[in-house]
Amino acid sequence: MIRTLKLLIDTLFIILCLGILGFFFILPFEVFSTKIADVEFQDYEGFRNLPFLYWMGIGMSLLTYILFLVGLNYLRKTANNFISTSSYTVEITKNLKLSGIFFILSAIILALAYVVVWAIDVSKGQIKLVLGTNVMIPMFLCIVGFFFMLQSKVLDQARLFKEDSNLTI
């Protein structure tokens, strides 16, 4: 089961790495589209004419993506350690905690990016409140991040109990 989980994590990591490379190759070719901002321009002059809020949205979108990628990388390291060593190591608990922290950070930045998108709509005179994935995805990332941090503490406590048990026998 852990090997299947490791395969899924590695596959997602590779797909996301290809996605960020794709972003940098597609950006100069006139279109950039994410959940954060839809921007169309004809040449590099279009870059300079983008409003500040669009740049904030694009930057926050990239930052969210990178933070999620870093958190996923720590999760990959955790899965590698689970396969190769005992589950009661300091490295596993450290990597699991770091993965949780990066997932929470990416959720916070993503939620702020959605606020920026809302501000862009308000600046255009369009006010709309939508309850959908804009709320669910950051909340789910927070839940997963806190769960990984909790699991890290549980595994650390188990490691300490195991070390204490090994010393008394």
Side-chain angles (χ1 to χ4, degrees), residues 86-132:
S86 167
S87 58
Y88 300 111
T89 64
V90 174
E91 190 173 357
I92 285 178
T93 57
K94 183 187 83 161
N95 286 337
L96 202 55
K97 182 177 182 177
L98 286 172
S99 179
I101 289 170
F102 279 103
F103 284 154
I104 290 169
L105 286 174
S106 68
I108 291 169
I109 301 293
L110 183 60
L112 290 173
Y114 286 139
V115 169
V116 168
V117 169
W118 183 77
I120 289 171
D121 287 342
V122 168
S123 72
K124 290 179 181 176
Q126 304 169 353
I127 297 178
K128 60 182 178 180
L129 295 175
V130 178
L131 181 63

Side-chain angles (χ1 to χ4, degrees), residues 5 8 23 29 33 36 44 46 58 62 66 90 145 156 159-160:
L5 178 63
L8 291 173
F23 170 80
F29 297 108
S33 178
I36 303 304
Y44 286 105
I58 291 169
L62 270 174
I66 291 168
V90 174
D156 198 41
R159 181 185 57 80
L160 292 174

Side-chain angles (χ1 to χ4, degrees), residues 16 27 39 43 49-50 64 72 75-76 79 87 102 109-110 121-122 126 130 138 144 148 165 167:
L16 290 177
L27 186 61
V39 178
D43 54 13
N49 295 333
L50 289 176
T64 298
L72 196 61
L75 194 58
R76 286 179 65 230
S87 58
F102 279 103
I109 301 293
L110 183 60
D121 287 342
V122 168
Q126 304 169 353
V130 178
V144 168
F148 286 160
S165 172
L167 290 176

